[in-house]
Amino acid sequence: MVKGLLLSLLVVLFTGGSASAQLTGVIKYPTGEPVPNAPIQAKNKATGAAARTLSSSDGHYKFAGLTAGSYDFTIAMPCCAYQRVNREITLEPGKPLELNIALIETINGSTLGDDPARNAEAMRKRASVPSGPAPRTSDGKPDLSGVWLITDDPYPEPPEPLPWAAALIKERDENNRKDSPHNHCLPGPPPTSGGASPFIAKLVETPSLIVILIEDNPGFRQIFLDGRGHPAEWNPSWTGHSTGKWDEDTLVVDTIGFNNKNWLGGIGGGTIPTTEMLHMIERYRRVDFSHMELRVTFDDPGALTKPWHENLTLDLAPQEEILEYVCENNKPEHLVGK
């Protein structure tokens, strides 16, 4: 019996176990060209475990050794040329599954110059950014100053909305977000409203204040670093009231005082409704001279059953500059679904 058990164990070790499964495929553009660096995720519906990978230069991807079962398969390309891919798949032990995906273009993608991701990539290619550690201010804090290109979360987590919010998200998805604030020349979602193409922001850091200049309405944010608290009374606004403090080399920003008009769901705009109970925590960490990470937590007990998170990346673009932004789409004949 011992010999039989040892033989079975060897089979498991060398085959990956009877419950292992494999998922492969190719990601292509609508033109049939391969898609490199597509962020692909397979999330086990039973355990919540997420496997992630990027497609190779020829568009191929591979997941090996996955546990058999049902998975949510997603691809979220950088905003906003292609529709997000959402598939429910079942992996069976010992039966490789091939799943090939052809991306579907959005209105942004088919409109020349209207895709932030493509414009941002052009900016990155012409950038001349030195390597090295993150610079520091005279008081020793990391210097976050600079013009930054912002990339949305490549693996966005789905929100867990309250029933009324879930119904509203469904309605907004079905009508192609025709009532999105930005369609009416109103600000986009926090933390950095993005209406212009590409998503770009300029941070100006002083010991007592950080100003974020944005190519979008309302054009700026202020983060107070002078130790003040939030005001006892605050007129609800699109960007709220922000205070910050340093946790070693990470800037932690606390924001309250939002109105109930924001639509969360990525820098390009989403469909998640908010209430005046919204509380946003941001954690900025400049990884090196040319890269910064931003972890954002949205806690809104009036709309969500639990906090919702975003992981953004920022690339330094010293050759760029913030431009004047003026929205002229507020005339009724220009609005979608009028």
Side-chain angles (χ1 to χ4, degrees):
M1 176 174 288
V2 173
K3 184 178 180 180
L5 288 174
L6 289 175
L7 179 60
S8 297
L9 178 59
L10 288 174
V11 170
V12 170
L13 290 175
F14 283 102
T15 65
S18 60
S20 65
Q22 180 173 291
L23 173 63
T24 62
V26 180
I27 313 300
K28 294 184 177 181
Y29 289 113
T31 59
E33 296 295 315
V35 180
N37 300 315
I40 306 163
Q41 175 173 279
K43 188 173 184 178
N44 189 295
K45 295 177 68 68
T47 66
R52 295 170 174 172
T53 191
L54 296 174
S55 58
S56 59
S57 58
D58 60 3
H60 284 81
Y61 71 92
K62 179 179 180 180
F63 292 106
L66 295 177
T67 302
S70 296
Y71 285 79
D72 287 323
F73 177 93
T74 58
I75 303 175
M77 295 294 291
C79 184
C80 304
Y82 302 99
Q83 295 181 14
R84 179 174 174 176
V85 176
N86 292 285
R87 301 282 182 87
E88 185 174 325
I89 60 174
T90 299
L91 300 180
E92 299 181 21
K95 294 184 179 180
L97 175 63
E98 182 177 351
L99 179 60
N100 300 319
I101 299 292
L103 299 179
I104 299 175
E105 218 166 25
T106 65
I107 294 176
N108 295 77
S110 60
T111 303
L112 184 63
D114 203 29
D115 174 30
R118 290 171 179 164
N119 293 340
E121 186 60 28
M123 289 184 174
R124 290 187 181 95
K125 287 181 179 179
R126 70 181 183 225
S128 178
V129 185
S131 60
R136 293 184 179 270
T137 61
S138 58
D139 60 358
K141 302 298 184 185
D143 190 352
L144 307 186
S145 298
V147 177
W148 299 89
L149 295 171
I150 306 169
T151 302
D152 223 334
D153 194 333
Y155 303 105
E157 65 178 52
E160 295 192 16
L162 294 172
W164 74 267
L168 191 52
I169 291 171
K170 183 174 184 293
E171 177 184 320
R172 290 171 174 177
D173 284 333
E174 291 175 347
N175 64 24
N176 293 318
R177 306 190 304 176
K178 69 179 183 67
D179 295 320
S180 173
H182 217 274
N183 290 343
H184 298 262
C185 282
L186 297 171
T192 304
S193 178
S197 177
F199 303 125
I200 190 170
K202 183 174 186 176
L203 276 68
V204 181
E205 181 179 336
T206 74
S208 61
L209 177 71
I210 289 181
V211 176
I212 303 179
L213 304 177
I214 310 163
E215 285 189 6
D216 191 21
N217 295 321
F220 71 95
R221 279 185 64 197
Q222 296 187 93
I223 301 172
F224 298 101
L225 305 178
D226 55 6
R228 74 180 69 185
H230 296 301
E233 295 185 7
W234 175 260
N235 186 32
S237 63
W238 290 93
T239 57
H241 183 271
S242 300
T243 62
K245 61 181 180 180
W246 290 98
D247 179 7
E248 296 183 346
D249 285 347
T250 298
L251 177 67
V252 182
V253 181
D254 185 288
T255 306
I256 63 170
F258 290 102
N259 61 30
N260 61 357
K261 301 176 182 179
N262 275 302
W263 291 27
L264 302 181
I267 56 177
T271 56
I272 306 170
T274 61
T275 72
E276 293 184 7
M277 300 172 69
L278 176 62
H279 181 195
M280 179 176 72
I281 299 291
E282 302 157 87
R283 299 182 65 88
Y284 292 84
R285 188 173 75 90
R286 189 163 182 173
V287 181
D288 54 30
F289 191 90
S290 56
H291 302 95
M292 186 153 58
E293 297 174 346
L294 172 55
R295 166 79 169 176
V296 190
T297 298
F298 300 98
D299 187 6
D300 188 349
L304 304 173
T305 62
K306 70 175 188 177
W308 180 72
H309 306 280
E310 282 187 322
N311 294 295
L312 310 180
T313 56
L314 294 84
D315 298 316
L316 189 66
Q319 76 287 350
E320 309 298 338
E321 191 49 87
I322 297 297
L323 302 178
E324 180 182 73
Y325 178 82
V326 179
C327 184
E328 297 181 350
N329 292 333
N330 55 352
K331 298 177 182 180
E333 60 267 26
H334 292 164
L335 299 181
V336 177
K338 61 179 183 295

